[in-house]
Amino acid sequence: AQDGASTPLETVAHRAGVGIGTLYRHFPTRQNLLEAVYIDEVEAICRSVEDYAELPPWEALSGWLHRFVGFAATKRALAEQLFAYVDHDSEMFRACGTAITTAGEALLRRAQEAGVVRPDTNFTDVGRMVAGISVIRPSDPEQIERILELALDGLRPRAAG
């Protein structure tokens, strides 16, 4: 994460406090290492849904989506490195996408059932919206948060009228 996915494996081993032989025993290729890190990151963002379980539905969804923005930005750089080894539609990417959608869909559905999110959307829409926001490179780091808040306001139910 600090030096990018092209960091020499010797540097990775050194920072992990293991010898290069140990690293290669567990991850024989750079692809194996990148896939393991990618999958670990996906599993972490999916597990993080539990951190929001006790919050009211809107706060749970919006809080997790704020976390998701950071995850998506980090994941994108790693995914770009993986594309040198695997296709976009590989089983690994499909499984990871399904896991993220399942995690996010549960929060979205809960918020919809509570009436705090419009019923005419799904997590594919929301996930793509948030992922799109994550690629913005503003000069003001707080701008991402403001843009995300504006986008999240669009998820609120429309007033009858």
Side-chain angles (χ1 to χ4, degrees):
Q2 186 176 9
D3 296 330
S6 60
T7 302
L9 293 180
E10 292 78 10
T11 303
V12 172
H14 176 72
R15 288 192 183 160
V18 299
I20 192 69
T22 301
L23 180 73
Y24 278 115
R25 227 179 348 273
H26 293 281
F27 307 104
T29 67
R30 178 176 290 279
Q31 177 183 347
N32 295 132
L33 177 61
L34 293 172
E35 286 178 357
V37 171
Y38 187 88
I39 291 168
D40 187 61
E41 290 291 317
V42 168
E43 289 172 349
I45 195 67
C46 292
R47 277 191 314 271
S48 74
V49 166
E50 297 168 13
D51 297 342
Y52 300 92
E54 300 300 320
L55 294 176
W58 175 257
E59 286 77 11
L61 176 64
S62 62
W64 189 76
L65 290 173
H66 278 274
R67 182 179 280 184
F68 186 79
V69 166
F71 160 78
T74 302
K75 180 182 68 111
R76 181 167 288 103
L78 189 54
E80 288 173 9
Q81 290 290 317
L82 276 167
F83 293 146
Y85 304 101
V86 295
D87 292 329
H88 292 152
D89 63 345
S90 73
E91 177 59 33
M92 182 206 60
F93 282 127
R94 281 196 312 272
C96 288
T98 298
I100 291 168
T101 299
T102 300
E105 189 69 39
L107 289 171
L108 179 66
R109 193 174 323 107
R110 181 174 164 237
Q112 288 171 320
E113 289 169 359
V116 295
V117 169
R118 50 194 290 174
D120 63 339
T121 192
N122 58 49
F123 188 75
T124 300
D125 296 339
V126 175
R128 287 184 178 161
M129 174 182 71
V130 174
I133 292 169
S134 75
V135 300
I136 299 170
R137 303 277 185 249
S139 58
D140 171 12
E142 293 177 7
Q143 186 178 24
I144 293 292
E145 291 296 316
R146 289 192 305 271
I147 292 170
L148 180 58
E149 284 300 320
L150 288 169
L152 292 178
D153 280 346
L155 291 177
R156 299 285 196 166
R158 294 180 180 171

